[in-house]
Amino acid sequence: MKIQKRKVSWGLLLLAMVTLGGCNQANQSKNDKEGEKEAVSVVRETAFGKVKGSEEKDALIWLGIPYGGDTAKEARWKAPTDPEPWEDERDATKAGSVALQAGADGVTGSEDGLNLDIYRPNNDKKDLPVLVYVHGGNNQTGTAAEISGASFVADHDAIVVSVNYRLGPLGFNPLPALKDGSEEENSGNYALLDLSKSLDWVKENIENFGGDKDNVTMSGFSAGGRDVMAMLISPIFEGKFNKAISFSGGMTIADEKKSQDVYAEAIAPLVVEDGVKKDEAEAKKWLLSSDSEVKDYLYALDGDRLVSLMSNAGIRMNVFPHLFNDGYVIPEEGFDTTSYNSVPLMMLTGEQEFSLFGRFDPYFAKYIEDGKIDSDPEIANQYAFINKYGGQLYSLFNVEDSAEKMNKNYQSPIYGMEIEFGQDQAVVGEDMAKLGAFHGVFVPLLDTQSKNYAGLVGDAYESDGAKELSKMFQDYVYEFIKNGDPNGTDLPQWDEWKEDASDNLLFVNADKQKASAEMGSKEYDYEKVLEDIDKDTTITDEQKKELINKVMNGRWFSKGLDKKYDQLSEFDKE
């Protein structure tokens, strides 16, 4: 899938353990005996009180530390406040409350969920680089526990901070009746206000955990990655972080006016159900007004009912719009701005980013139940079609499209990576080969303790090659968060992305024994993918039309596709 420009095999390095001897052992104190280690305190000060975490062999961990106040009741759609101070040591050994959200097991979480987790090495080193992580979940679901930083900090002198923040229509809501506060509150981008608040907390408190407040990297996966990209154009994030990483993120902005219409339509059935208005048309019109009674109604609604709305978004902005171009938190011109918060940026994608979304799309649901998605050649070919072309368009969206958009006005280095690990069944096994380098393929590389995808990928990450790939990947991330440049000793060279370069992406992969990294370029661009879709004869024209119209339509990456086939929604039209 690339034109190879440079290839370097990355073998495991044999590290010699050097034991320093001496003839003056008799003069050493008993506290300096070989193998003895002074305990590092798990009790740390914050601006709001002490927190007591836990100790693992190689990591110190604090969970559920509040960085913001309760966002329930009258604080529901307000900017986050400081948490209430506490007097006694706060137990930080158990996960904190997560944001209220609707999932497969019903509604979980709380409207009092602004907290974060901290991981650091089990040593007394200070001034460590800080990686702040924003979880994925379409800004509707997910938790800070998406990754544990324990395995990363066990091998790297760094701090990982993972953040819980408001989600769904509690984290984003552009309705006019809510616009009676400050300019930032009127933006409707409450989740971004939470993330901004978390960075304020890090700046004020991270030194007490051994971190360098002036060396903070903001990172995120999927929705979190898109949030990070939005931070790069947001005036309220200027100067709040020093580097950025977008894991499978890309650029998404929602038109505020059109979004109001979607939210009003989604909430209207509740208004009718509660007897406030007689039908949904009247309810929608009322919700789009600035009537103070609308505000009162919205604040009185049970949060469970709100977060259950628009839950079938499936990476479609027209179903659950968020990241509004309000003109204050996000500029009206969105990513067409000439003013970026330019910091060194790493962007990453997997090669088959659409495989999970396609496989679990309602179109294929019955074929998963009866196994035909893998056993019936006709169905398998249809899945292969959307997996191939959806993956190509999604991977372009995550890195190349963003880099090309930013290129003219971005003043800092950009590094692009594509993960290929997952394609070869002989290497990863049958389970993972069905998905390839899926959306989230990096998670078990960054967090070797992660079990998030165990049911889908089996033991694909257990080979020597996969473990070496994990080490290489983590080392790139560490060098980047430490220095703003991912290159380091014994790592294959990773060049900056350049628009006119023939080798502007780093492709990483592994076989059973070893990992590899190579600079190269994609063989396709967006127009080439559309041409290949037209020429594809692996499925019938009727099947192709149905898949384009029902499965690939309306996604983050689909605008050009939908435009070509005259299926743009009203929301997506310019």
Side-chain angles (χ1 to χ4, degrees):
M1 300 306 295
K2 58 200 174 293
I3 303 169
Q4 181 174 326
K5 293 297 177 182
R6 185 190 305 114
K7 187 169 184 178
V8 183
S9 179
W10 197 83
L12 285 172
L13 299 176
L14 297 177
L15 301 178
M17 301 301 294
V18 180
T19 302
L20 297 177
C23 59
N24 296 321
Q25 292 182 1
N27 296 326
Q28 294 180 358
S29 71
K30 62 181 180 181
N31 291 328
D32 292 326
K33 289 181 181 178
E34 184 179 354
E36 189 166 309
K37 176 182 174 183
E38 185 177 348
V40 181
S41 176
V42 294
V43 178
R44 302 296 168 102
E45 290 277 1
T46 78
F48 307 101
K50 292 182 179 180
V51 291
K52 184 176 182 179
S54 59
E55 178 181 8
E56 292 188 357
K57 179 182 177 182
D58 298 312
L60 304 180
I61 303 171
W62 295 265
L63 303 176
I65 302 175
Y67 68 84
D70 192 344
T71 54
K73 299 179 180 177
E74 66 275 3
R76 174 175 279 176
W77 286 294
K78 298 295 183 183
T81 58
D82 287 338
E84 289 290 329
W86 56 90
E87 293 184 2
D88 298 328
E89 288 179 356
R90 185 184 183 97
D91 181 13
T93 63
K94 299 176 182 178
S97 297
V98 301
L100 198 68
Q101 57 194 278
D105 298 324
V107 175
T108 58
S110 164
E111 288 193 61
D112 183 13
L114 302 189
N115 57 75
L116 48 80
D117 302 337
I118 299 177
Y119 305 82
R120 65 148 294 138
N122 192 357
N123 59 39
D124 59 0
K125 294 182 180 180
K126 298 180 180 179
D127 297 323
L128 304 179
V130 181
L131 178 69
V132 180
Y133 182 85
V134 184
H135 67 75
N138 201 47
N139 279 317
Q140 293 179 286
T141 62
T143 78
E146 179 174 87
I147 66 160
S148 163
S151 63
F152 184 80
V153 304
D155 295 319
H156 302 86
D157 286 326
I159 289 180
V160 175
V161 179
S162 191
V163 185
N164 284 312
Y165 57 101
R166 279 178 282 184
L167 299 169
L170 298 174
F172 295 93
N173 198 321
L175 288 176
L178 301 178
K179 296 180 180 297
D180 64 351
S182 65
E183 285 185 287
E184 62 176 6
E185 289 175 343
N186 289 349
S187 73
N189 293 305
Y190 307 103
L192 288 185
L193 304 188
D194 294 345
L195 295 172
S196 177
K197 186 70 169 177
S198 75
L199 285 169
D200 293 340
W201 188 97
V202 168
K203 182 75 79 173
E204 184 176 10
N205 295 281
I206 206 64
E207 286 182 340
N208 294 337
F209 296 82
D212 182 352
K213 65 182 178 65
D214 296 317
N215 192 5
V216 175
T217 300
M218 197 65 180
S219 71
F221 165 49
S222 193
R226 294 185 294 106
D227 294 343
V228 170
M229 296 300 289
M231 294 175 200
L232 296 176
I233 60 172
S234 172
I236 73 168
F237 284 91
E238 183 178 3
K240 291 200 174 187
F241 53 90
N242 310 94
K243 306 171 197 71
I245 304 176
S246 176
F247 298 111
S248 301
M251 295 176 167
T252 51
I253 297 294
D255 179 81
E256 185 180 36
K257 192 73 175 176
K258 292 179 180 178
S259 299
Q260 290 173 343
D261 196 70
V262 175
Y263 276 69
E265 189 166 323
I267 299 172
L270 304 185
V271 176
V272 176
E273 184 180 318
D274 293 336
V276 179
K277 298 295 178 181
K278 64 181 180 180
D279 57 46
E280 291 184 15
E282 187 179 337
K284 180 179 176 180
K285 182 178 179 181
W286 179 65
L287 287 165
L288 286 170
S289 75
S290 297
D291 190 333
S292 61
E293 291 184 359
V294 174
K295 178 183 175 181
D296 293 340
Y297 173 78
L298 293 172
Y299 271 84
L301 272 174
D302 191 292
D304 289 25
R305 300 172 75 195
L306 283 167
V307 296
S308 298
L309 302 173
M310 301 178 277
S311 60
N312 59 335
I315 65 170
R316 290 181 171 100
M317 189 65 85
N318 61 0
V319 179
F320 171 63
H322 50 285
L323 299 171
F324 313 118
N325 61 335
D326 64 288
Y328 185 82
V329 172
I330 296 178
E332 292 181 10
E333 65 272 24
F335 289 99
D336 290 325
T337 182
T338 59
S339 180
Y340 282 87
N341 297 321
S342 296
V343 297
L345 171 64
M346 179 192 295
M347 292 188 290
L348 171 151
T349 187
E351 193 165 49
Q352 283 79 38
E353 285 277 339
F354 192 57
S355 59
L356 283 171
F357 298 100
R359 191 174 185 86
F360 296 105
D361 187 90
Y363 182 91
F364 289 105
K366 62 183 178 181
Y367 303 123
I368 290 179
E369 287 183 17
D370 60 20
K372 286 185 177 179
I373 194 168
D374 300 315
S375 62
D376 185 316
E378 184 176 352
I379 305 303
N381 284 342
Q382 291 181 60
Y383 174 63
F385 176 90
I386 59 97
N387 188 12
K388 176 181 178 179
Y389 298 115
Q392 290 179 351
L393 293 176
Y394 205 167
S395 67
L396 285 168
F397 170 84
N398 287 338
V399 179
E400 295 283 78
D401 290 353
S402 296
E404 290 170 4
K405 184 90 168 176
M406 303 167 74
N407 183 57
K408 183 178 179 180
N409 297 303
Y410 204 74
Q411 305 302 316
S412 293
I414 295 174
Y415 297 89
M417 175 189 284
E418 181 158 317
I419 298 176
E420 298 175 302
F421 179 72
Q423 302 175 78
D424 190 340
Q425 182 171 326
V427 174
V428 300
E430 183 179 356
D431 290 337
M432 186 171 179
K434 295 173 184 176
L435 303 175
F438 59 91
H439 188 71
V441 64
F442 80 96
V443 172
L445 301 177
L446 183 64
D447 174 13
T448 58
Q449 299 177 5
S450 175
K451 303 299 181 185
N452 287 341
Y453 301 98
L456 296 173
V457 303
D459 61 357
Y461 288 83
E462 298 302 314
S463 69
D464 289 342
K467 290 177 181 178
E468 187 178 299
L469 180 61
S470 175
K471 185 179 187 308
M472 180 174 67
F473 180 75
Q474 289 194 17
D475 286 349
Y476 276 128
V477 171
Y478 177 65
E479 293 295 336
F480 181 79
I481 68 173
K482 185 172 65 171
N483 304 311
D485 183 332
N487 293 289
T489 305
D490 301 316
L491 285 170
Q493 178 68 22
W494 184 355
D495 297 332
E496 290 181 37
W497 186 93
K498 299 290 185 182
E499 188 170 29
D500 56 354
S502 58
D503 53 348
N504 54 17
L505 294 178
L506 184 73
F507 293 85
V508 299
N509 205 342
D511 59 24
K512 282 283 192 179
Q513 287 76 42
K514 62 184 184 298
S516 64
E518 57 182 295
M519 290 299 301
S521 295
K522 287 179 173 293
E523 292 179 339
Y524 54 82
D525 58 16
Y526 204 103
E527 291 305 315
K528 177 70 164 55
V529 178
L530 296 186
E531 290 175 11
D532 289 347
I533 288 174
D534 271 350
K535 296 175 183 177
D536 192 291
T537 58
T538 60
I539 59 177
T540 67
D541 288 343
E542 184 179 348
Q543 290 169 342
K544 186 186 297 186
K545 182 178 180 181
E546 191 168 16
L547 290 171
I548 290 171
N549 181 256
K550 292 184 177 179
V551 180
M552 298 177 69
N553 66 305
R555 313 284 185 164
W556 311 141
F557 56 79
S558 300
K559 192 164 186 178
L561 182 72
D562 290 336
K563 189 173 182 179
K564 176 175 180 176
Y565 289 95
D566 196 26
Q567 57 186 30
L568 280 171
S569 70
E570 288 301 316
F571 184 91
D572 293 316
K573 290 179 180 177
E574 294 179 355

